[in-house]
Amino acid sequence: MTDVAHSARPTQQHALLDWIKSIVMSALPFVVVIALWQFAALFFPRVLFPSLVDVFWRCLEIFSDGAMFWNVASTVLRILGGLAGAFVIGALLGFAMVRSKAVDKFLSPVLTLFQGIPALSWVVFAIIWFHGTEFRIFFIMVMTTLPAFTFQIISALRGMSKDLMEMVFSFRPTRMKMFRTMVAPAILPDILTAWKVNLGNASRVVVVAELVGASGGVGYQLLQQQQLFDMAGALAWTLQLVFFVLLVQGVLTLIENTAFRYRAVSERAL
Amino acid sequence: MTHAIDMTQTPANSASAVADDGSIHLSDVSKVFGREGSAGAYRAVDHLNLDVVPGQMLALLGKTGCGKSTIFNMVAGLTEPTSGVVRVGGRDPFVDFDSFRGRMAIVFQSDRLLPWRTAIQNVELGLEMLDHPPADRKERARKWLIKLGLGGHEDDFPHALSGGMRQRVSIARAFATDAQILLCDEPFSALDEATAGKLRVEFARLVKENGKTAVFITHSISEALEIGDRIVVLKRPAMIAYDVSFSRDTSAEDRALIRERISEVLAA
């Protein structure tokens, strides 16, 4: 065996050990929470702490039943639709506010005001103002996530390197090329962060909106479980949303890892 | 003097300014930052007249804050003069900004590479603006990277390159567009002397070989003498204090004289 092979083996073993360690460390908090819940289920009535085995079968039931899964899918579509709407409007407002001081002066206080309005108030306003369920929910989602998207995009645009902008300008780009080569890649990290932050907010808000004003979706199903005093069902429906948020966060992280591979990583990084 | 050193003001070439060439013409140019006449106003350039003929390599020398970068930005079309006329190839670089696409390239003090692009993608940037087909721009970019000793680093991101290598990429980016006019703002000042020396030689060779007009801002008399074939020394606020043309054949004694004179002007 060569020296290289000798030296490679411990390195591979270290890498494997590090990988196992990271998996265990990531799973540990979940294992602890599951164990505590299961422990509580032994001593409390099912209506308060149902067995996680029951919850698992309820989750499976939701996944396998087309009509039930449609409730999850419609909630997911509402979240994604609302976020997409808020993102597009927020991007347009953000660009307009960065380009014009007058627009910025006019819209900044309005958006700050919106940020202070509770999600439940938007739900009430939407029910009073509009008729269609889907439009109501879309409106609520947009109004609750719009300020964060707009402010994040403004901050990203203002934070772009002036030196790099000037460099790209020196090649006399068209507006489209300026956007494609400089603006979009420069603001992408902030956009992904905004999506990650708003995703959590949106999944909470959509449930409230569905709870009050919808006849389907996870929020509506949660209301049904509450009326039946079915904790296993409530948990199973809640977990559907958690799975969705984790899935989308995973996709966003994957995009980050691919799109930002250019970033230098210090060995002493925080 | 045995060698021809034209120590006079370079002849005005306003007539040539009509042609679409590499000429640069500044006539009675002033630049005031802030409202003129107000207490906070700052006059960076004061009634400057300067002509650069096509193919000339002009080194602009002066103390910090003497207005070199302001002149640079006005020639690049990034800043508008407060008064006077700036013409590059007969056109106003600020008003006709877009018409200089592919005709003017800039090498900045820092490399200013886009961190999300690899070395070759950074070199391709100017060619993208000129709508070169992808295969052609890749080929050209690769050629320039190899020319500047960066073969094998095409797919490296800027963070993986040393300061000298990054600056070479930025020089390759400027040359790749085959622009007639090169504007360089102290491109080697952030590098160590050995790397800067090597790059200076490469840069001067490339400019001459490709028949470019170059305006080169520097703080270093040695650098100006090494690269330029004309040196303009500026005093605050950007007025010409000394203007000298020389050639590669200029003797060491004459170069020493020029250096001495420049030192005196800068010290004054």
Side-chain angles (χ1 to χ4, degrees):
Chain A
M1 205 177 281
T2 63
D3 289 346
V4 176
H6 273 301
S7 60
R9 183 164 287 173
T11 316
Q12 280 175 352
Q13 280 175 349
H14 270 121
L16 187 67
L17 277 174
D18 283 348
W19 182 73
I20 292 169
K21 202 173 150 188
S22 77
I23 296 280
V24 170
M25 290 308 285
S26 308
L28 190 66
F30 297 104
V31 173
V32 170
V33 171
I34 289 169
L36 283 173
W37 184 282
Q38 203 57 32
F39 185 70
L42 295 174
F43 301 99
F44 289 94
R46 273 194 70 209
V47 73
L48 294 180
F49 285 94
S51 160
L52 288 176
V53 179
D54 287 350
V55 177
F56 172 76
W57 287 116
R58 294 295 292 274
C59 283
L60 217 60
E61 192 188 344
I62 295 168
F63 268 124
S64 53
D65 186 300
M68 282 174 126
F69 190 73
W70 178 242
N71 283 286
V72 180
S74 52
T75 299
V76 166
L77 288 174
R78 282 165 184 158
I79 294 175
L80 293 177
L83 283 178
F87 171 67
V88 170
I89 299 169
L92 292 174
L93 291 181
F95 274 94
M97 287 164 81
V98 169
R99 279 186 73 87
S100 158
K101 270 191 177 173
V103 177
D104 183 29
K105 269 190 174 175
F106 178 75
L107 285 178
S108 261
V110 178
L111 288 168
T112 310
L113 180 87
F114 282 2
Q115 239 176 351
I117 298 174
L120 199 60
S121 303
W122 285 118
V123 173
V124 174
F125 299 160
I127 290 170
I128 295 170
W129 284 339
F130 308 113
H131 279 296
T133 307
E134 294 309 324
F135 187 75
R136 276 178 185 165
I137 294 175
F138 179 76
F139 172 79
I140 296 160
M141 302 298 292
V142 169
M143 295 316 284
T144 49
T145 51
L146 180 66
F149 267 127
T150 313
F151 287 134
Q152 195 90 25
I153 285 166
I154 289 172
S155 153
L157 288 170
R158 289 197 176 136
M160 281 193 305
S161 160
K162 287 200 168 47
D163 280 355
L164 291 184
M165 288 279 284
E166 203 177 62
M167 183 280 292
V168 179
F169 256 126
S170 74
F171 286 109
R172 273 82 175 161
T174 58
R175 275 174 190 232
M176 196 58 215
K177 280 180 181 159
M178 183 73 190
F179 179 79
R180 195 169 51 75
T181 56
M182 174 70 210
V183 180
I187 65 172
L188 186 63
D190 294 270
I191 288 176
L192 286 179
T193 306
W195 269 86
K196 276 184 165 182
V197 171
N198 279 324
L199 183 70
N201 291 338
S203 67
R204 283 186 287 271
V205 171
V206 78
V207 171
V208 177
E210 287 177 342
L211 204 72
V212 182
S215 55
V218 174
Y220 174 76
Q221 289 299 334
L222 281 172
L223 187 67
Q224 303 295 307
Q225 308 311 311
Q226 180 244 308
Q227 284 162 0
L228 296 169
F229 257 74
D230 183 355
M231 187 62 188
L235 253 183
W237 282 104
T238 305
L239 282 175
Q240 304 306 313
L241 262 191
V242 174
F243 291 149
F244 161 71
V245 170
L246 288 177
L247 184 76
V248 179
Q249 293 274 13
V251 171
L252 291 174
T253 306
L254 201 71
I255 295 171
E256 275 182 342
N257 291 343
T258 314
F260 308 145
R261 67 188 192 283
Y262 63 82
R263 284 173 169 173
V265 179
S266 162
E267 286 181 22
R268 282 207 184 275
L270 286 171
Chain B
M1 253 177 239
T2 49
H3 296 280
I5 314 172
D6 174 12
M7 294 228 190
T8 60
Q9 197 84 16
T10 305
N13 64 330
S14 49
S16 70
V18 182
D20 185 10
D21 54 24
S23 65
I24 299 170
H25 171 73
L26 283 88
S27 171
D28 202 25
V29 171
S30 297
K31 177 68 190 178
V32 180
F33 290 103
R35 198 186 302 164
E36 207 168 4
S38 69
Y42 173 70
R43 184 169 283 270
V45 180
D46 193 26
H47 301 287
L48 178 76
N49 291 294
L50 179 69
D51 283 284
V52 183
V53 294
Q56 194 168 52
M57 196 139 167
L58 169 72
L60 276 180
L61 202 68
K63 288 180 183 169
T64 307
C66 73
K68 300 187 296 286
S69 292
T70 309
I71 296 171
F72 181 90
N73 284 335
M74 286 194 289
V75 173
L78 299 171
T79 304
E80 190 178 21
T82 308
S83 63
V85 173
V86 178
R87 293 285 181 270
V88 178
R91 277 173 295 176
D92 186 326
F94 188 82
V95 175
D96 299 324
F97 188 78
D98 285 345
S99 69
F100 286 91
R101 190 176 295 137
R103 294 197 168 88
M104 197 190 280
I106 302 178
V107 184
F108 294 93
Q109 191 170 10
S110 58
D111 54 74
R112 300 198 189 186
L113 299 183
L114 297 175
W116 48 83
R117 287 183 161 227
T118 59
I120 196 162
Q121 287 169 339
N122 266 290
V123 178
E124 283 179 58
L125 183 72
L127 299 168
E128 270 177 64
M129 305 305 170
L130 295 169
D131 289 324
H132 280 255
D136 172 57
R137 63 181 189 233
K138 192 144 268 184
E139 188 50 44
R140 271 205 205 200
R142 194 182 305 281
K143 187 192 88 178
W144 276 105
L145 283 174
I146 291 168
K147 224 175 214 184
L148 281 152
L150 288 168
H153 292 281
E154 291 91 341
D155 298 322
D156 288 349
F157 282 105
H159 75 77
L161 301 171
S162 69
M165 289 161 102
R166 286 202 295 268
Q167 196 58 308
R168 277 179 216 211
V169 176
S170 79
I171 292 171
R173 181 177 62 196
F175 275 98
T177 55
D178 200 22
Q180 184 55 36
I181 296 163
L182 278 174
L183 303 176
C184 312
D185 188 1
E186 301 181 52
F188 312 127
S189 63
L191 304 176
D192 66 85
E193 195 38 52
T195 312
K198 253 194 233 172
L199 279 182
R200 254 181 236 131
V201 174
E202 278 173 12
F203 181 83
R205 181 178 58 79
L206 288 171
V207 169
K208 285 293 163 203
E209 266 179 20
N210 293 280
K212 312 281 185 203
T213 306
V215 177
F216 194 94
I217 289 181
T218 180
H219 280 294
S220 158
I221 302 174
S222 303
E223 190 167 89
L225 282 165
E226 196 178 334
I227 293 181
D229 45 29
R230 180 182 170 199
I231 298 174
V232 166
V233 183
L234 297 167
K235 66 174 182 181
R236 239 173 264 169
M239 293 161 71
I240 295 177
Y242 182 58
D243 184 349
V244 61
S245 297
F246 53 96
S247 71
R248 199 174 288 180
D249 302 328
T250 303
S251 69
E253 294 84 48
D254 288 341
R255 281 175 186 267
L257 270 175
I258 295 170
R259 178 188 290 274
E260 204 176 306
R261 181 78 187 107
I262 292 171
S263 300
E264 283 169 16
V265 172
L266 286 173

